[in-house]
Amino acid sequence: MAHFLLIHGSCHGAWCWDYLRPELERLGHSVQAIDLPGAGADPTDRAEVTLDLYAQAVVAALREPAILVGHSMGGYPITAAAEADPSQIRALVYLCAYRPVSGLSLAQMRRLAPRQPLQGALDILGESFLFKADRAAELLAQDCSEEIQAWQIASLTPQPIRPQEEPLSVTERSRSLPQFYLRCAQDQTIPPEYQAQMAADLPPGRHRVLPASHSPFLSMPAVLAQHLSEIAAELDG
């Protein structure tokens, strides 16, 4: 069985994996989730957060060889961690995530998307941003219950802008690791067609599709867990 390290996306924290964790454990896997610096309950000053600090936090959390799963913005921290130290990383899994293009920042990649669903949906709070409360449910979790949507919205915290403006150099240190992409076909935050573009160069079988919103860990945790378990089995194969 595999060990998974789960890395959240913008404005989220380790809490967002609460429904997925027991599903993975039920399948026999061990699971770890962290708050990135300045996110969730982490006390780091958001003005001090950088992409390198994200990478350091991920590497520090690698207590044993793990499959890294990055959601949305989390695609950048898991790749940066692999560039810093790939020795404890078995694979990188991009869950409706930005899969970095060398030399580009996440913000630059977002602007290259064929559509801009987040236009007008964010409140800029100095050096951070937050989803507008009246837009978050439709963008993040339109396929979830109202109860889960309300919990998710109440749990969101401001996202530091700086790490999303910092480019990442992608080399063979991360490229040499097995990579998988889980595309969400009903995503209202990152256009599904853009996700397909980011996954286009992966080997056959390493690009999977979920009929889900941007939050499959909330709307279909058992289905997501099964996909991740199958990825682990392929690595063990």
Side-chain angles (χ1 to χ4, degrees):
M1 294 294 101
H3 179 66
F4 288 91
L5 176 58
L6 309 177
I7 304 300
H8 62 80
S10 293
C11 302
H12 287 65
W15 56 264
C16 75
W17 306 106
D18 283 359
Y19 288 81
L20 177 64
R21 181 195 297 268
E23 297 293 345
L24 282 171
E25 291 174 342
R26 193 171 294 119
L27 294 173
H29 305 292
S30 59
V31 186
Q32 184 182 358
I34 63 169
D35 289 323
L36 288 172
D42 184 90
T44 305
D45 185 342
R46 294 188 184 100
E48 303 299 321
V49 176
T50 64
L51 180 56
D52 182 61
L53 201 60
Y54 280 168
Q56 292 177 37
V58 175
V59 171
L62 288 166
R63 303 166 188 163
E64 60 183 286
I67 298 171
L68 292 192
V69 180
H71 171 244
S72 193
M73 175 277 291
Y76 261 74
I78 66 170
T79 309
E83 288 294 332
D85 182 4
S87 62
Q88 291 280 74
I89 302 173
R90 297 184 61 198
L92 301 174
V93 180
Y94 297 87
L95 175 60
C96 54
Y98 286 96
R99 186 165 171 249
V101 173
S102 189
L104 295 184
S105 68
L106 185 151
Q108 288 173 311
M109 287 195 69
R110 183 188 296 127
R111 290 191 285 268
L112 290 173
R115 294 184 286 116
Q116 298 298 318
L118 294 184
Q119 188 169 3
L122 304 175
D123 285 323
I124 305 302
L125 310 170
E127 297 174 334
S128 301
F129 69 78
L130 189 63
F131 286 90
K132 291 183 176 179
D134 62 347
R135 297 289 308 279
E138 66 179 90
L139 289 169
L140 297 174
Q142 78 274 13
D143 55 351
C144 290
S145 69
E146 291 184 1
E147 180 182 4
I148 289 179
Q149 288 175 349
W151 171 70
Q152 181 182 32
I153 293 169
S155 301
L156 298 174
T157 53
Q159 168 63 42
I161 293 173
R162 181 178 173 185
Q164 299 196 3
E165 295 284 357
E166 296 176 327
L168 178 63
S169 179
V170 181
T171 72
E172 286 305 307
R173 288 173 70 82
S174 63
R175 288 194 191 108
S176 62
L177 294 169
Q179 297 189 15
F180 299 81
Y181 200 103
L182 298 180
R183 174 164 56 100
C184 291
Q186 306 302 320
D187 200 318
Q188 300 298 313
T189 297
I190 301 178
E193 65 270 29
Y194 193 35
Q195 295 180 39
Q197 179 181 330
M198 289 188 281
D201 65 336
L202 291 175
R206 292 193 175 178
H207 176 194
R208 296 163 174 249
V209 183
L210 285 72
S213 68
H214 194 60
S215 302
F217 39 82
L218 299 180
S219 64
M220 49 184 66
V223 173
L224 175 56
Q226 185 60 44
H227 278 283
L228 293 172
S229 190
E230 291 171 4
I231 287 171
E234 179 177 333
L235 293 171
D236 290 337

